[in-house]
Amino acid sequence: TGKKAIKPNDKNTIKLIVLGAAGSGKSTFAKQMKILYSGGFPPEEVLNYRRILYANIITGFKELIMNLDTLDINYDESSADSINFFSKQATFSEDGIITPNIKDHALVLWADLGIAEAWERRDETATSLTCFDYLIENIEVFCGDDYEPDEETILRLRQRTTGIRDTLFQVGNYFWKLTDVGGQRSERAKWERFDLENVHMVLFFTAINEWDTPSEEDPNKTNLEISLEVWEQVVNEQDLLRIPFVLFLNKRDLFWKKIRKTRMRTTFPKYKGKKDAQEGNNKLSLAIINSIQAQSSYLNYF
């Protein structure tokens, strides 16, 4: 007889809460764990990610078109039809199919110098366009009735988490249960309702590349400033002091690209370092760690 299948229970399940402000990469981490340890995504999830891919492309162009006005950027008259097309296009599609018409309009706009400038200056506005260039550069592949998003594409899609989502996977004889809650201000109110009984660890994500990106929540603050405020509130919460924290300074690849061309001193006047990725990363790490008021020995950061 074969080995008896192991089922999750309180004794063999490691429970983790995944926290962080919107856009910090929490959901991407959960997807990565699913790919590594759960065999990827079932067909119904892949279909849903095709809908999300469609929404990301339509929403991305809507944001860029709005930013033309916000940043006072001109576009070529030959792009007017495509701008009108995306301005009126619904962001949801039941089948999520990228039609040839959508593809053609997308390529017209992507070649427009005004849209190119809006993309280059995207961090001057509240935006969700982290991987939009990847989507448009591969839109020929996405186009068609039979396309199914692969794992690389799924990882790059932006999907706002609403409510509470659990991801369960098995490593050896143990199960890991990730509980992910949305990072928007309205969703963060739900964090207080967690049942902390038997929670083994808190994973907190912050996107360090967004030190100068205006926040949708508060245009007078950056996404990183909002993230640091949330971090300080959570890590000093009395009910969480007994639980180990792991802090992920996330999106370092985007951080390294940005710091070579953008001065951190604009947002952090006290920063005296150079345009050096490692030095900037270290300075931010210290700022985040120093925000901990409680003398906790349970913090690790990566």
Side-chain angles (χ1 to χ4, degrees):
T1 60
K3 291 184 178 180
K4 188 176 180 180
I6 302 173
K7 295 183 178 180
N9 55 54
D10 289 341
K11 293 184 179 180
N12 67 5
T13 301
I14 300 170
K15 299 179 181 179
L16 304 99
I17 299 175
V18 186
L19 303 179
S24 59
K26 302 182 288 87
S27 298
T28 301
F29 175 78
K31 287 188 284 188
Q32 288 171 322
M33 295 301 102
K34 199 162 190 175
I35 290 170
L36 289 172
Y37 300 110
S38 296
F41 306 95
E44 61 272 17
E45 277 195 64
V46 173
L47 174 58
N48 188 52
Y49 279 118
R50 188 168 75 171
R51 298 187 188 106
I52 295 170
L53 170 61
Y54 176 96
N56 278 197
I57 291 173
I58 303 301
T59 302
F61 275 119
K62 285 180 180 290
E63 288 189 13
L64 286 175
I65 290 167
M66 290 177 60
N67 288 348
L68 291 175
D69 289 333
T70 303
L71 301 173
D72 195 23
I73 299 172
N74 295 322
Y75 60 87
D76 193 279
E77 290 183 6
S78 63
S79 301
D81 287 344
S82 296
I83 286 177
N84 184 56
F85 173 82
F86 280 109
S87 297
K88 295 181 177 180
Q89 194 73 12
T91 55
F92 175 79
S93 168
E94 181 61 38
D95 56 27
I97 294 174
I98 306 300
T99 64
N101 195 32
I102 293 173
K103 178 203 70 176
D104 291 343
H105 281 296
L107 293 176
V108 168
L109 284 191
W110 198 240
D112 186 280
L113 294 179
I115 290 292
E117 183 180 347
W119 166 251
E120 186 66 23
R121 296 172 60 187
R122 61 193 177 277
D123 286 329
E124 296 178 34
T125 62
T127 180
S128 60
L129 300 174
T130 306
C131 295
F132 190 65
D133 54 343
Y134 170 87
L135 301 184
I136 305 307
E137 288 165 4
N138 289 277
I139 198 167
E140 297 271 7
V141 177
F142 303 152
C143 182
D145 298 358
D146 299 329
Y147 174 73
E148 295 183 355
D150 58 14
E151 290 177 350
E152 181 179 2
T153 299
I154 289 174
L155 287 174
R156 294 172 183 266
L157 296 178
R158 177 72 188 274
Q159 178 186 16
R160 289 194 173 188
T161 303
T162 56
I164 297 174
R165 295 183 182 180
D166 290 329
T167 300
L168 185 69
F169 57 89
Q170 183 178 358
V171 181
N173 294 325
Y174 288 91
F175 291 87
W176 295 69
K177 181 180 179 182
L178 305 181
T179 299
D180 176 17
V181 181
Q184 292 79 26
R185 179 180 290 167
S186 59
E187 295 293 328
R188 294 199 296 268
K190 301 174 184 177
W191 295 3
E192 299 176 358
R193 306 174 198 168
F194 273 136
D195 179 8
L196 298 176
E197 191 69 27
N198 298 321
V199 169
H200 296 87
M201 189 177 296
V202 175
L203 308 183
F204 191 95
F205 285 76
T206 186
I208 60 173
N209 66 303
E210 297 191 332
W211 78 74
D212 62 345
T213 305
S215 169
E216 291 184 47
E217 294 183 12
D218 185 347
N220 296 317
K221 295 180 180 179
T222 68
N223 282 338
L224 181 59
E225 288 174 315
I226 294 291
S227 185
L228 291 178
E229 289 177 2
V230 176
W231 159 254
E232 187 167 3
Q233 177 184 351
V234 169
V235 80
N236 291 300
E237 178 64 42
Q238 289 296 315
D239 292 339
L240 296 175
L241 291 182
R242 64 175 181 80
I243 302 175
F245 271 74
V246 175
L247 170 63
F248 285 86
L249 306 180
N250 204 22
K251 302 189 179 182
R252 286 183 62 190
D253 55 336
L254 299 176
F255 172 82
W256 283 43
K257 289 180 181 178
K258 179 184 283 191
I259 197 172
R260 293 187 178 98
K261 61 180 182 179
T262 307
R263 291 188 177 276
M264 286 184 62
R265 199 175 301 175
T266 305
T267 304
F268 297 100
K270 293 182 179 180
Y271 177 71
K272 304 302 182 184
K274 304 175 183 178
K275 286 187 177 181
D276 178 78
Q278 190 59 56
E279 183 175 356
N281 181 78
N282 293 341
K283 295 283 187 180
L284 274 180
S285 302
L286 289 173
I288 294 170
I289 300 305
N290 289 338
S291 69
I292 306 171
Q293 297 173 351
Q295 297 301 311
S296 172
S297 59
Y298 292 101
L299 173 73
N300 292 286
Y301 71 94
F302 299 91

